[in-house]
Amino acid sequence: MTVKVFTVFGVRPEAIKMAPVINELAGRPEFSVSVCVTGQHREMLDQVLRLFKITPRYDLNIMRERQTLPETFSRAVLGLETIFREDRPDIILVHGDTLTTFAASLAAFFNQVPVGHVEAGLRTYDKYSPFPEEMNRKLTGALADVHFAPTATSRANLLREGVLAASIYVTGNTAIDALATTVRQPYAFHDVALKQLPLGGRVLLVEVHRRENWGEPMAAMCLALLDLVAAFPDVQVVFPVHLNPVVREVVLPCLAGQERVHLLDPLDTDDFHNLMARAHLILTDSGGLQEEAPALGVPVLVMRNNTERPEAVEAGTVAVVGTSRRGIVEQATRLLQSTEAYNTMKTAINPYGDGQAARRIAEGLLHHFGLVPARPREWA
Ligand code: UD1
Ligand code: UDP
């Protein structure tokens, strides 16, 4: 028996985290694997497809400028439902918590196609934060038949919600698998703008885009960055700005042309990962960065009010600092002034994986389909 798997994704981080799974499945004769992208992101998705040499079999190309949640969702459901009806897979694999993830799971359900959820079980238990991601992942979890939980914490969340233990595999996060392929020493950046930056001093790497931070909170973050640059003459801010115009219209007017603030377009992931590895400190509202940075020994200040990724907070390498200008400046200042506080956070720990998550996902699928008797040994 060959298991026909469709991996389905649409935005940058999903592509980065699904690439190792696609590779792993493609190398095994028990699977035939195809890639369906919604194109919820366009340029930022294509950057990743190019880097990991992924050629989609289907591309719905749904992105529109300033797309709304309902229109993006409906375009994705309609397109995916047709694909799954006409070219029926044995299972689809979705990732995480985007609109594409939920739309794909629902479209599969309409066709009674099983769903495997990669990066399952992350929760804040706050319906509106992150918005709409918390509900996307809960609803996807409700539709999923197999749950690939990255950590024991995410498995515990699923068990509390009544998910059957037998349907959960604890695998580690595939972000760590991807990092192992991108971070190299020595490494020469290829982005033309990045190559030319005078990156002496301490680099503060910034990435923000979350919907609940649009407007006022994002403006406060930008002002906090200006405060930090003014207070610390050796600090350089490097900020690859998300392509969402709603983000750019806050960030660019506030920060363009400011001394030691370098605004870039989104970087290719190999450049970005290697820049992370060199950064002194990361300030972000991103989910993926909270997983990658601890593996690289770089402290992260999360500019949000909560996180669905508590493992690195508990380990001490990530701190949630809220979204007020004052709070962000205070916490960053503490780390920039006190070597002791900084070194305590800098410890490289890796609660998110050992680079073997994709292998465990493949083995979990083999077990789920009855092709091997044993469950994979779990990531602990
Ligand atoms: C989406 C996901 C979010 C994820 C983020 C990763 C949802 C609801 N949101 O948020 O969970 O953390 O991706 O980055 O699923 N745009 C471009 N080119 C691109 C990408 C985006 O121009 O390559 C612009 C478009 O105008 C688009 C807008 O950004 O309409 C917003 O994109 P969208 O996917 O709706 O939301 P994100 O904030 O990117
Ligand atoms: N990333 C990238 N280029 C950039 C910024 C980020 O490749 O310029 C990568 C980053 O390493 C991580 C992922 O994109 O793997 C995070 O994506 P994002 O923050 O957009 O989404 P989230 O993880 O919050 O869903």
Side-chain angles (χ1 to χ4, degrees), residues 40-41 43-44 64 66-67 99 133 209-210 242:
Q40 179 181 333
H41 280 178
E43 301 87 336
M44 288 162 60
R64 304 287 180 276
R66 293 172 195 268
Q67 58 204 4
L99 270 191
E133 290 83 4
H209 67 276
R210 296 241 86 83
H242 194 289

Side-chain angles (χ1 to χ4, degrees), residues 166-326:
S167 68
I168 307 173
Y169 298 89
V170 179
T171 60
N173 197 302
T174 57
I176 307 302
D177 301 31
L179 265 188
T181 68
T182 51
V183 177
R184 293 186 287 279
Q185 194 66 267
Y187 179 86
F189 295 121
H190 55 82
D191 182 87
V192 176
L194 178 62
K195 264 201 307 214
Q196 287 166 359
L197 291 187
L199 290 185
R202 294 185 285 184
V203 170
L204 264 55
L205 182 58
V206 181
E207 204 274 315
V208 295
H209 67 276
R210 296 241 86 83
R211 235 179 185 78
E212 61 275 14
N213 287 337
W214 288 358
E216 199 63 26
M218 210 167 272
M221 293 171 192
C222 293
L223 293 172
L225 294 175
L226 290 181
D227 293 344
L228 292 169
V229 168
F232 297 95
D234 67 325
V235 157
Q236 311 265 355
V237 169
V238 182
F239 188 165
V241 187
H242 194 289
L243 292 183
N244 191 339
V246 182
V247 171
R248 294 174 88 85
E249 65 201 15
V250 174
V251 171
L252 300 184
C254 184
L255 296 179
Q258 298 286 339
E259 206 184 334
R260 287 179 285 115
V261 178
H262 310 288
L263 302 180
L264 304 173
D265 283 332
L267 292 169
D268 283 349
T269 300
D270 48 356
D271 269 0
F272 189 80
H273 282 175
N274 285 280
L275 181 60
M276 276 177 85
R278 277 171 214 200
H280 184 74
L281 180 63
I282 293 174
L283 291 105
T284 191
D285 64 8
S286 162
L289 269 59
Q290 296 176 56
E291 293 149 351
E292 293 164 348
L296 298 169
V298 185
V300 181
L301 299 183
V302 178
M303 300 188 288
R304 291 173 46 182
N305 297 316
N306 58 19
T307 181
E308 59 289 307
R309 293 167 166 91
E311 296 87 350
V313 177
E314 281 153 20
T317 64
V318 170
V320 179
V321 299
T323 59
S324 78
R325 176 178 181 178
R326 193 165 152 199

Side-chain angles (χ1 to χ4, degrees), residues 3 36 38 48 56 113-114 117-118 130 181 234 252 284 313 351 354 373-374:
V3 182
C36 294
T38 57
V48 184
V113 167
H117 190 195
V118 177
T181 68
D234 67 325
L252 300 184
T284 191
V313 177
D354 56 357

